[in-house]
Coordinates of all heavy atoms in Angstrom, one line a residue:
P521 N -29.5 -3.3 -17.1 CA -28.8 -3.4 -15.8 C -27.8 -4.6 -15.8 O -27.9 -5.5 -16.5 CB -30.1 -3.8 -14.9 CG -31.2 -4.1 -15.8 CD -30.9 -3.5 -17.1
F589 N -41.3 -9.4 -6.4 CA -40.1 -9.9 -7.1 C -40.3 -10.6 -8.4 O -39.7 -10.5 -9.3 CB -39.2 -10.7 -6.1 CG -38.8 -10.0 -4.9 CD1 -38.9 -10.5 -3.7 CD2 -38.3 -8.6 -5.0 CE1 -38.5 -9.8 -2.5 CE2 -37.9 -8.0 -3.9 CZ -38.0 -8.6 -2.7
T590 N -41.2 -11.6 -8.2 CA -41.4 -12.4 -9.5 C -41.8 -11.5 -10.7 O -41.5 -11.9 -11.8 CB -42.5 -13.4 -9.1 OG1 -43.6 -12.9 -8.4 CG2 -41.9 -14.6 -8.4
K591 N -42.5 -10.4 -10.4 CA -42.9 -9.6 -11.5 C -41.7 -8.9 -12.3 O -41.8 -8.4 -13.5 CB -44.0 -8.6 -11.2 CG -43.4 -7.4 -10.4 CD -44.6 -6.4 -10.1 CE -44.0 -5.1 -9.5 NZ -45.1 -4.3 -9.0
I592 N -40.5 -8.7 -11.6 CA -39.4 -8.0 -12.2 C -38.6 -9.0 -13.1 O -37.7 -8.5 -13.9 CB -38.4 -7.4 -11.1 CG1 -37.9 -8.5 -10.2 CG2 -39.2 -6.3 -10.4 CD1 -36.8 -8.1 -9.4
I593 N -38.8 -10.2 -12.9 CA -38.0 -11.2 -13.7 C -38.5 -11.2 -15.2 O -39.6 -11.4 -15.5 CB -38.1 -12.6 -13.1 CG1 -37.4 -12.5 -11.6 CG2 -37.3 -13.6 -13.9 CD1 -37.7 -13.6 -10.8
P594 N -37.5 -10.8 -16.1 CA -37.9 -10.7 -17.5 C -38.4 -12.1 -18.2 O -38.1 -13.1 -17.6 CB -36.7 -10.2 -18.3 CG -35.7 -10.0 -17.2 CD -36.1 -10.6 -16.0
G595 N -39.2 -11.9 -19.2 CA -39.7 -13.1 -19.8 C -38.6 -14.0 -20.4 O -38.8 -15.1 -20.7
A596 N -37.5 -13.4 -20.6 CA -36.3 -14.2 -21.2 C -35.9 -15.3 -20.3 O -35.3 -16.2 -20.8 CB -35.1 -13.2 -21.5
I597 N -36.2 -15.2 -19.0 CA -35.9 -16.3 -18.2 C -37.1 -16.8 -17.4 O -37.9 -16.1 -16.9 CB -34.8 -15.9 -17.1 CG1 -34.6 -16.9 -16.0 CG2 -35.1 -14.6 -16.4 CD1 -33.2 -17.2 -15.6
D598 N -37.1 -18.2 -17.3 CA -38.3 -18.8 -16.7 C -37.7 -19.5 -15.4 O -36.9 -20.5 -15.6 CB -38.9 -19.8 -17.7 CG -40.1 -20.6 -17.1 OD1 -40.6 -20.1 -16.0 OD2 -40.5 -21.5 -17.8
I599 N -38.1 -19.1 -14.3 CA -37.6 -19.6 -13.1 C -38.6 -20.5 -12.4 O -39.7 -20.2 -12.1 CB -37.2 -18.5 -12.1 CG1 -36.1 -17.7 -12.8 CG2 -36.7 -19.0 -10.8 CD1 -35.1 -17.0 -12.0
R600 N -38.2 -21.8 -12.1 CA -39.1 -22.8 -11.5 C -38.4 -23.2 -10.2 O -37.3 -22.7 -9.8 CB -39.3 -23.9 -12.4 CG -40.0 -23.5 -13.6 CD -40.1 -24.6 -14.7 NE -40.3 -24.0 -16.0 CZ -40.3 -24.7 -17.1 NH1 -40.0 -26.0 -17.1 NH2 -40.5 -24.1 -18.2
F604 N -34.3 -23.8 -14.2 CA -34.6 -22.5 -14.9 C -34.3 -22.6 -16.4 O -33.5 -23.6 -16.7 CB -33.9 -21.3 -14.2 CG -32.4 -21.4 -14.2 CD1 -31.6 -20.9 -15.3 CD2 -31.7 -22.0 -13.1 CE1 -30.2 -21.0 -15.2 CE2 -30.4 -22.0 -13.1 CZ -29.6 -21.6 -14.2
V605 N -35.0 -21.9 -17.1 CA -34.8 -21.9 -18.6 C -34.4 -20.5 -19.1 O -35.0 -19.6 -18.7 CB -36.1 -22.4 -19.3 CG1 -35.9 -22.4 -20.8 CG2 -36.6 -23.7 -18.8
L606 N -33.2 -20.5 -19.8 CA -32.7 -19.2 -20.3 C -32.3 -19.4 -21.8 O -31.6 -20.4 -22.1 CB -31.6 -18.6 -19.4 CG -30.9 -17.4 -19.9 CD1 -31.8 -16.2 -19.7 CD2 -29.6 -17.2 -19.3
E607 N -32.9 -18.6 -22.7 CA -32.6 -18.7 -24.1 C -32.7 -20.2 -24.6 O -31.8 -20.7 -25.2 CB -31.2 -18.1 -24.4 CG -31.2 -16.7 -24.2 CD -29.8 -16.1 -24.6 OE1 -28.8 -16.7 -24.4 OE2 -29.8 -15.0 -25.1
N608 N -33.8 -20.8 -24.2 CA -34.1 -22.1 -24.7 C -33.2 -23.2 -24.1 O -33.4 -24.4 -24.4 CB -34.1 -22.3 -26.2 CG -35.0 -21.4 -26.9 OD1 -36.2 -21.2 -26.3 ND2 -34.7 -20.7 -27.9
A609 N -32.3 -22.8 -23.2 CA -31.5 -23.9 -22.6 C -32.1 -24.2 -21.2 O -32.4 -23.3 -20.5 CB -30.0 -23.4 -22.4
F618 N -28.0 -19.5 -11.3 CA -28.3 -18.3 -12.1 C -28.0 -17.1 -11.4 O -28.2 -17.0 -10.2 CB -29.8 -18.4 -12.5 CG -30.3 -17.1 -13.2 CD1 -30.1 -16.8 -14.5 CD2 -30.9 -16.1 -12.4 CE1 -30.5 -15.8 -15.2 CE2 -31.3 -14.9 -13.0 CZ -31.2 -14.7 -14.4
G620 N -28.7 -12.8 -12.1 CA -29.3 -11.8 -13.0 C -29.5 -10.5 -12.4 O -29.7 -10.5 -11.2
V621 N -29.4 -9.4 -13.2 CA -29.6 -8.1 -12.6 C -30.8 -7.5 -13.4 O -30.8 -7.5 -14.7 CB -28.4 -7.2 -12.8 CG1 -28.6 -5.9 -12.0 CG2 -27.2 -7.8 -12.1
F622 N -31.8 -6.9 -12.7 CA -33.0 -6.4 -13.3 C -33.3 -5.0 -13.0 O -32.7 -4.5 -12.1 CB -34.2 -7.3 -13.0 CG -33.9 -8.8 -13.0 CD1 -33.7 -9.5 -11.8 CD2 -33.8 -9.4 -14.2 CE1 -33.4 -10.8 -11.8 CE2 -33.5 -10.8 -14.2 CZ -33.3 -11.5 -13.0
D623 N -34.3 -4.5 -13.6 CA -34.8 -3.2 -13.1 C -35.5 -3.4 -11.8 O -36.1 -4.4 -11.6 CB -35.8 -2.5 -14.2 CG -35.1 -2.1 -15.5 OD1 -34.0 -1.7 -15.3 OD2 -35.8 -2.3 -16.6
L634 N -30.8 -11.2 -8.7 CA -31.2 -12.5 -8.2 C -30.0 -13.5 -8.3 O -29.5 -13.7 -9.4 CB -32.4 -13.0 -8.9 CG -32.9 -14.4 -8.7 CD1 -33.3 -14.7 -7.3 CD2 -34.0 -14.9 -9.7
S657 N -25.5 -8.7 -17.8 CA -26.9 -8.6 -17.1 C -27.2 -10.0 -16.5 O -27.8 -10.0 -15.4 CB -28.0 -8.3 -18.1 OG -27.8 -7.1 -18.8
Y658 N -26.7 -11.0 -17.1 CA -27.1 -12.3 -16.5 C -25.9 -13.3 -16.8 O -25.1 -13.1 -17.8 CB -28.4 -12.9 -17.1 CG -28.3 -13.2 -18.7 CD1 -27.7 -14.3 -19.2 CD2 -28.8 -12.3 -19.6 CE1 -27.6 -14.6 -20.5 CE2 -28.8 -12.5 -20.9 CZ -28.2 -13.7 -21.4 OH -28.1 -13.9 -22.7
F671 N -26.5 -9.8 -22.1 CA -27.2 -8.5 -21.7 C -28.7 -8.7 -22.0 O -29.0 -9.3 -23.0 CB -26.7 -7.4 -22.6 CG -25.2 -7.2 -22.5 CD1 -24.4 -7.8 -23.6 CD2 -24.6 -6.6 -21.4 CE1 -23.0 -7.6 -23.5 CE2 -23.3 -6.4 -21.5 CZ -22.4 -6.9 -22.5
W672 N -29.5 -8.1 -21.3 CA -30.9 -8.0 -21.6 C -31.0 -7.0 -22.7 O -30.2 -6.0 -22.8 CB -31.8 -7.5 -20.4 CG -31.6 -8.3 -19.2 CD1 -31.3 -7.7 -18.0 CD2 -31.9 -9.7 -19.0 NE1 -31.2 -8.7 -17.0 CE2 -31.6 -9.9 -17.6 CE3 -32.2 -10.8 -19.8 CZ2 -31.7 -11.2 -17.1 CZ3 -32.3 -12.0 -19.2 CH2 -32.1 -12.3 -18.0
P673 N -31.9 -7.2 -23.7 CA -32.0 -6.2 -24.8 C -32.4 -4.9 -24.4 O -33.2 -4.7 -23.5 CB -33.0 -6.8 -25.8 CG -33.7 -7.8 -24.9 CD -32.9 -8.3 -23.8
E675 N -34.4 -1.5 -25.1 CA -35.6 -1.3 -26.0 C -35.7 0.1 -26.6 O -36.2 0.3 -27.7 CB -36.9 -1.7 -25.3 CG -37.2 -3.2 -25.6 CD -37.7 -3.8 -24.4 OE1 -38.5 -3.2 -23.6 OE2 -37.4 -5.0 -24.1

Side-chain angles (χ1 to χ4, degrees):
F589 297 134
T590 41
K591 76 177 186 194
I592 59 169
I593 296 169
I597 169 140
D598 182 11
I599 296 207
R600 296 168 202 175
F604 58 91
V605 181
L606 178 72
E607 291 187 323
N608 300 322
F618 172 80
V621 187
F622 317 104
D623 291 326
L634 169 65
S657 302
Y658 64 79
F671 307 97
W672 306 124
E675 271 138 36

